[in-house]
Amino acid sequence: PVIRRLTQDLTAYLLYDMALDREAAEERVFDLMIAVIDQFSEWRSLRSALRAARIPTDYRIRRAIAYMRENVGEPLDVNRLAETAGLSRAHFFKTFRENTGLTPRVYSSVLRMESAIKGIADTKQSMGELAFDLGFSAQSHFTRFFQWHQGVAPSDYRRIVEVFESSRSPEGSASRI
């Protein structure tokens, strides 16, 4: 319903050539983009998978997850995770899955995605630097990873966040009055 309403609103302005200044048109397009991204993004299913996952009760798995968070930009080394947890590799996989409902690789991807979103939204770091910090060998690999999971390129996501943030700030509101 929200996407339909935003689409009809924007279409009416475009078809009937109503007086719509550039800023207002951009705002309507970005509102529509945010609604579509929110509705159809792969990230939504990853986040719900984490929410549905049980909170790890095993202290060894919590220790492994803490290690994963601290080393989100490093390649996933399951042997090191098992060692951190004090378990054999096979027992680590079994216990991790029982505690989280996910494999270590999927959990690691979710943590990387969380870090990517935070880095894009909260910093002015270049995409290349962010990609390197998250352990990608090339910016193009990061862009493909982000776009596959989020449904939008990281640079577009940053633009959307900036527009959204400026519309929420007092300066952004005053400029539209």
Side-chain angles (χ1 to χ4, degrees):
V2 172
I3 294 171
R4 185 180 317 273
R5 181 183 51 78
L6 290 169
T7 304
Q8 288 171 344
D9 186 35
L10 184 60
T11 304
Y13 277 103
L14 294 173
L15 286 175
Y16 302 115
D17 196 30
M18 300 175 125
L20 183 65
D21 63 64
R22 179 182 162 93
E23 253 183 63
E26 271 187 15
E27 184 178 334
R28 290 187 194 311
V29 169
F30 280 119
D31 287 345
L32 178 59
M33 287 175 65
I34 289 170
V36 169
I37 289 168
D38 187 50
Q39 179 67 35
F40 298 105
S41 173
E42 283 291 320
W43 180 242
R44 177 182 292 278
S45 62
L46 289 174
R47 284 180 51 200
S48 63
L50 271 185
R51 258 188 255 119
R54 295 171 293 277
I55 296 173
T57 54
D58 191 313
Y59 72 93
R60 299 168 297 184
I61 299 305
R62 288 195 312 266
R63 189 179 328 138
I65 289 171
Y67 179 84
M68 291 169 76
R69 282 188 189 282
E70 292 167 7
N71 298 286
V72 75
E74 300 297 318
L76 184 65
D77 182 353
V78 179
N79 292 327
R80 178 72 180 125
L81 287 175
E83 182 182 309
T84 300
L87 300 168
S88 70
R89 182 181 167 102
H91 193 105
F92 171 73
F93 266 103
K94 180 179 182 285
T95 307
F96 192 94
R97 182 112 193 197
E98 286 172 352
N99 274 258
T100 65
L102 302 169
T103 67
R105 183 150 317 279
V106 170
Y107 203 98
S108 176
S109 288
V110 171
L111 293 177
R112 268 178 129 182
M113 196 63 201
E114 274 183 2
S115 295
I117 288 173
K118 186 170 176 52
I120 290 169
D122 297 344
T123 71
K124 295 296 181 193
Q125 193 175 23
S126 75
M127 293 302 165
E129 290 171 347
L130 186 58
F132 179 76
D133 289 350
L134 292 172
F136 291 92
S137 59
Q139 181 179 338
S140 61
H141 297 156
F142 168 65
T143 299
R144 199 168 25 257
F145 171 83
F146 191 91
Q147 192 158 6
W148 188 81
H149 287 291
Q150 192 62 23
V152 65
S155 56
D156 293 338
Y157 187 87
R158 179 172 276 166
R159 262 188 248 115
I160 292 167
V161 168
E162 288 170 352
V163 168
F164 181 72
E165 289 299 319
S166 71
S167 72
R168 295 182 66 193
S169 71
E171 302 87 40
S173 302
S175 68
R176 277 186 248 142
I177 294 176

